[in-house]
């Protein structure tokens, strides 16, 4: 992890969706998928900072799309914990959890996910193995033309990788419990760093190999190690920014052209 140097205080939190020169929509798949990916990249990279309001009207003008696919993309992002909808206010980017909250989340994950991985090693169906392999493969294929988009996609695949293991090994209740923690997307918001993806891919490969081999002990150990290393990666950042969870200096730096 690179060292963190002091940065200037950011400007007041903006209203997002007006004049932001981020990547435009691509003519592939559906417009809704494109909108989702563009917004995911901006949220994960903190280009849209915590607390920033997200205007549907401004997004529609900026992206040249109707409100229907934009609303569909926002609903997906809300389900992933990246945005919140407030009555009479609308959508805004979710706050990043404090260091204490992150610590509690990782403690709970250490209790649940290694057990789920061990159980999944004995339960994975052929289809689930193929799905896990596809997720790992997707993580190897970043969008070379857009670092933020590539990072956002990686966070998306990472979350699905962990959810599939939890669902297979622990069942629907465990998957729903981990979903409520919504830790993966916030983790990648804090750790916007290219080396993180490479380290995580190697750890996922070790875990995947143990799962496919049907080795419960190896799978349990690989998941535990992955979680420990994930927390080790995030700890210096949390210590640097304290318990406010605002990451204001980092936000200011990432918004600088």
């Amino acid at each position: 992890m690179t060292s963190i140097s002091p940065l200037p205080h950011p400007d007041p939190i903006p209203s997002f969706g007006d004049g932001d020169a981020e990547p435009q929509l691509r003519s592939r798949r559906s417009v809704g998928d494109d909108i989702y990916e563009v917004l995911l990249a901006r949220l994960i990279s903190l280009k849209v900072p915590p607390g920033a309001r997200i205007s549907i009207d401004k997004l529609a003008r900026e992206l040249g799309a109707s409100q229907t696919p934009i609303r569909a993309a926002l609903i997906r992002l809300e389900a992933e914990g990246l945005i919140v909808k407030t009555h009479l206010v609308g959508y805004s980017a979710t706050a990043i959890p404090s260091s204490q909250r992150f610590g509690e989340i990782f403690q709970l994950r250490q209790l649940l996910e290694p057990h789920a991985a061990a159980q999944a090693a004995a339960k994975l169906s052929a289809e689930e193995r193929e799905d896990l392999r596809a997720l790992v493969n997707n993580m190897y294929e970043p969008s070379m033309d857009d670092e933020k988009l590539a990072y956002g996609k990686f966070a998306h695949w990472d979350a699905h990788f962990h959810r599939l293991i939890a669902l297979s090994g622990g069942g629907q209740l465990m998957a729903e419990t981990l979903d409520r923690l919504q830790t993966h997307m916030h983790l990648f918001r804090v750790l916007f760093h290219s080396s993180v993806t490479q380290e995580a891919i190697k750890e996922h490969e070790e875990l995947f190999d143990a799962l496919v081999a049907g080795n419960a002990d190896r799978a349990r150990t690989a998941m535990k190690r992955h979680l420990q290393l994930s927390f080790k990666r995030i700890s210096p950042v949390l210590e640097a920014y304290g318990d406010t969870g605002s990451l204001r200096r980092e936000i200011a730096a990432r918004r600088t052209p």
Side-chain angles (χ1 to χ4, degrees), residues 126-144:
E127 182 179 358
E128 288 171 332
R129 292 180 183 182
E130 291 178 2
D131 288 343
L132 286 175
R133 179 73 265 177
L135 288 168
V136 173
N137 289 342
N138 285 336
M139 295 179 199
Y140 278 109
E141 300 176 0
S143 299
M144 301 304 293

Side-chain angles (χ1 to χ4, degrees), residues 122-181:
K123 295 180 178 180
L124 279 178
S125 66
E127 182 179 358
E128 288 171 332
R129 292 180 183 182
E130 291 178 2
D131 288 343
L132 286 175
R133 179 73 265 177
L135 288 168
V136 173
N137 289 342
N138 285 336
M139 295 179 199
Y140 278 109
E141 300 176 0
S143 299
M144 301 304 293
D145 59 333
D146 186 344
E147 180 185 13
K148 289 188 284 295
L149 180 57
Y151 197 82
K153 286 182 177 180
F154 186 93
H156 175 83
W157 300 132
D158 178 90
H160 280 266
F161 180 81
H162 281 265
R163 190 182 195 282
L164 180 53
I165 295 171
L167 186 61
S168 175
Q172 188 67 40
L173 181 58
M174 182 176 290
E176 291 174 357
T177 299
L178 292 172
D179 283 346
R180 284 195 291 272
L181 297 179

Side-chain angles (χ1 to χ4, degrees), residues 190-202:
V190 174
L191 291 176
F192 189 77
H193 198 281
S194 59
S195 66
V196 171
T197 60
Q198 296 304 313
E199 293 165 1
I201 285 175
K202 294 178 182 177

Side-chain angles (χ1 to χ4, degrees), residues 2-257:
T2 55
S3 60
I4 301 169
S5 57
L7 296 165
H9 194 283
D11 296 330
I13 290 176
S15 175
F16 171 67
D18 188 14
D20 197 327
E22 284 293 304
Q24 299 299 307
L25 303 185
R26 296 165 173 79
S27 57
R28 54 176 171 69
R29 299 180 301 153
S30 71
V31 173
D33 288 337
D34 285 334
I35 293 172
Y36 168 82
E37 288 191 357
V38 169
L39 297 182
L40 173 64
R42 296 178 182 183
L43 288 159
I44 289 289
S45 67
L46 297 184
K47 186 68 176 180
V48 182
R53 292 184 297 277
I54 301 174
S55 168
I56 295 176
D57 290 338
K58 291 177 181 177
L59 280 174
R61 292 195 299 271
E62 177 193 350
L63 301 177
S66 69
Q67 292 191 3
T68 299
I70 292 175
R71 290 183 185 278
L74 292 175
I75 290 172
R76 289 176 64 183
L77 293 165
E78 183 182 16
E80 293 176 344
L82 285 171
I83 63 174
V84 293
K85 185 178 183 182
T86 306
H87 182 59
L88 299 180
V89 175
Y91 290 102
S92 59
T94 306
I96 291 177
S98 67
S99 61
Q100 179 179 348
R101 175 72 171 175
F102 265 118
E104 293 172 354
I105 286 172
F106 271 90
Q107 286 180 2
L108 184 55
R109 291 183 67 190
Q110 284 281 14
L111 292 173
L112 297 179
E113 293 196 68
H115 172 75
Q119 294 295 308
K123 295 180 178 180
L124 279 178
S125 66
E127 182 179 358
E128 288 171 332
R129 292 180 183 182
E130 291 178 2
D131 288 343
L132 286 175
R133 179 73 265 177
L135 288 168
V136 173
N137 289 342
N138 285 336
M139 295 179 199
Y140 278 109
E141 300 176 0
S143 299
M144 301 304 293
D145 59 333
D146 186 344
E147 180 185 13
K148 289 188 284 295
L149 180 57
Y151 197 82
K153 286 182 177 180
F154 186 93
H156 175 83
W157 300 132
D158 178 90
H160 280 266
F161 180 81
H162 281 265
R163 190 182 195 282
L164 180 53
I165 295 171
L167 186 61
S168 175
Q172 188 67 40
L173 181 58
M174 182 176 290
E176 291 174 357
T177 299
L178 292 172
D179 283 346
R180 284 195 291 272
L181 297 179
Q182 297 174 331
T183 182
H184 291 84
M185 295 302 190
H186 296 312
L187 175 64
F188 281 92
R189 291 168 84 193
V190 174
L191 291 176
F192 189 77
H193 198 281
S194 59
S195 66
V196 171
T197 60
Q198 296 304 313
E199 293 165 1
I201 285 175
K202 294 178 182 177
E203 294 156 21
H204 289 161
E205 282 282 10
E206 293 175 2
L207 177 54
F208 175 75
D209 289 344
L211 289 167
V212 171
N215 191 317
D217 289 338
R218 275 182 56 199
R220 181 186 295 107
T221 299
M223 179 64 84
K224 183 176 181 180
R225 179 175 179 273
H226 173 49
L227 294 175
Q228 289 172 338
L229 291 173
S230 294
F231 188 69
K232 183 178 180 180
R233 286 190 284 267
I234 197 176
S235 293
V237 182
L238 298 179
E239 291 173 3
Y241 291 114
D243 292 330
T244 64
S246 66
L247 302 179
R248 288 180 294 185
R249 294 185 183 88
E250 180 70 9
I251 295 166
R254 295 185 196 175
R255 289 182 61 82
T256 302

